Amino acid sequence: MILKHKLIIFILFFLILINLAYLQDLNSLVEYYELKHRENPKDPDNIFNLLVLYGALGNLGKFYDYYNLLNKIDPNYLKEKAKENVKENTNNVFDLYKTAFSYYFLGEIEKSIYYFHKLNSLKPNDDWVISYLAYLYYLKEDYSKVESLINRGFEINEDNEALHALRCALYLKKGNYFLALKEYFITMNIVQRKGYKNIWEILRGLR
């Protein structure tokens, strides 16, 4: 029975890999790495892959869950070992996400921005790539760039909670408290609909 079970798992992995060879589908990658996670729930590299994938898909709740799990299993992974995920000369979408997020966690913001820009050139209509760029420029205090990116992102998706949270933060910095409060309630409404933790905890916890 054990051998049969392992054979079934192997066949599933093999079929998924064949699919991924022809299509860079992030949702299929999630299925693949979730299967691997069930087989080995303490593999930090696999957990990092899931963290990156859920971040790419804009599922901040799962992103934060795997972030916390990774820090629990290997507290030094994001501070040191993340650089092993860096692949600088690639146009593979998943590798670009892994590189961009790795540089972010390593504190190399400029390099993270560079790779998110590469992703943006490949995926110009991905509002989450734009959201991460806006957040990184927010960390650099380039608020005019943040505002420009937020506006671009809203042209694609007005329901992006990260963009609303960043706009709220910008209004607070400008002293526009009424508009900041409005953005706060819009953000919380989206977060509650999606059913995950408070976005402020998520954003604070990542930096």
Side-chain angles (χ1 to χ4, degrees), residues 77-95:
Y77 190 96
L78 294 174
K79 299 173 186 175
E80 298 173 5
K81 296 179 185 175
K83 58 176 166 275
E84 295 173 9
N85 293 293
V86 168
K87 293 184 179 179
E88 296 189 338
N89 299 310
T90 181
N91 285 318
N92 177 284
V93 169
F94 183 39
D95 285 339

Side-chain angles (χ1 to χ4, degrees), residues 24 35 40 42 50 77 85 118 120 122 155 170-171:
Q24 189 73 47
L35 274 172
N40 186 2
K42 292 188 177 182
L50 285 167
Y77 190 96
N85 293 293
K118 286 193 73 172
N120 187 227
L122 294 171
E155 289 175 7
L170 284 182
Y171 281 142

Side-chain angles (χ1 to χ4, degrees), residues 61-112:
K62 286 278 192 180
F63 181 51
Y64 194 55
D65 287 344
Y66 280 111
Y67 170 82
N68 283 331
L69 179 60
L70 185 55
N71 277 327
K72 182 179 178 181
I73 289 172
D74 188 347
N76 293 317
Y77 190 96
L78 294 174
K79 299 173 186 175
E80 298 173 5
K81 296 179 185 175
K83 58 176 166 275
E84 295 173 9
N85 293 293
V86 168
K87 293 184 179 179
E88 296 189 338
N89 299 310
T90 181
N91 285 318
N92 177 284
V93 169
F94 183 39
D95 285 339
L96 284 171
Y97 273 114
K98 288 173 71 174
T99 300
F101 278 114
S102 292
Y103 275 130
Y104 166 72
F105 288 117
L106 291 167
E108 299 189 46
I109 301 302
E110 292 290 348
K111 288 183 179 180
S112 182

Side-chain angles (χ1 to χ4, degrees), residues 15 24 27 35 105 111 119 122 124 138 162 165 176 195 199 201:
L15 290 173
Q24 189 73 47
N27 285 301
L35 274 172
F105 288 117
K111 288 183 179 180
L119 280 162
L122 294 171
Y138 183 83
N176 295 332
I199 195 168
E201 179 187 346

Side-chain angles (χ1 to χ4, degrees), residues 38-65:
R38 286 195 286 274
E39 286 291 298
N40 186 2
K42 292 188 177 182
D43 179 355
D45 291 324
N46 195 66
I47 293 168
F48 181 78
N49 287 334
L50 285 167
L51 180 158
V52 168
L53 286 164
Y54 282 116
L57 292 168
N59 189 330
L60 295 184
K62 286 278 192 180
F63 181 51
Y64 194 55
D65 287 344

Side-chain angles (χ1 to χ4, degrees), residues 64-203:
Y64 194 55
D65 287 344
Y66 280 111
Y67 170 82
N68 283 331
L69 179 60
L70 185 55
N71 277 327
K72 182 179 178 181
I73 289 172
D74 188 347
N76 293 317
Y77 190 96
L78 294 174
K79 299 173 186 175
E80 298 173 5
K81 296 179 185 175
K83 58 176 166 275
E84 295 173 9
N85 293 293
V86 168
K87 293 184 179 179
E88 296 189 338
N89 299 310
T90 181
N91 285 318
N92 177 284
V93 169
F94 183 39
D95 285 339
L96 284 171
Y97 273 114
K98 288 173 71 174
T99 300
F101 278 114
S102 292
Y103 275 130
Y104 166 72
F105 288 117
L106 291 167
E108 299 189 46
I109 301 302
E110 292 290 348
K111 288 183 179 180
S112 182
I113 286 173
Y114 174 78
Y115 285 99
F116 273 116
H117 272 302
K118 286 193 73 172
L119 280 162
N120 187 227
S121 68
L122 294 171
K123 305 177 72 178
N125 294 318
D126 189 316
D127 55 302
W128 280 99
V129 172
I130 293 170
S131 298
Y132 292 122
L133 277 170
Y135 177 62
L136 291 166
Y137 279 109
Y138 183 83
L139 295 178
K140 284 170 56 66
E141 300 183 357
D142 188 344
Y143 301 128
S144 62
K145 186 71 173 177
V146 176
E147 190 167 6
S148 173
L149 286 163
I150 287 171
N151 292 334
R152 272 186 57 205
F154 280 143
E155 289 175 7
I156 299 166
N157 179 14
E158 293 184 354
D159 241 14
N160 184 303
E161 62 273 24
L163 292 173
H164 281 289
L166 285 166
R167 180 177 272 180
C168 175
L170 284 182
Y171 281 142
L172 282 172
K173 286 191 175 293
K174 293 178 180 179
N176 295 332
Y177 300 116
F178 176 77
L179 292 175
L181 186 62
K182 179 183 175 184
E183 288 297 325
Y184 172 80
F185 283 119
I186 291 172
T187 305
M188 296 314 301
N189 180 263
I190 297 169
V191 167
Q192 286 169 5
R193 274 192 280 119
K194 292 192 173 183
Y196 55 65
K197 296 176 184 177
N198 188 307
I199 195 168
W200 308 114
E201 179 187 346
I202 292 169
L203 293 177

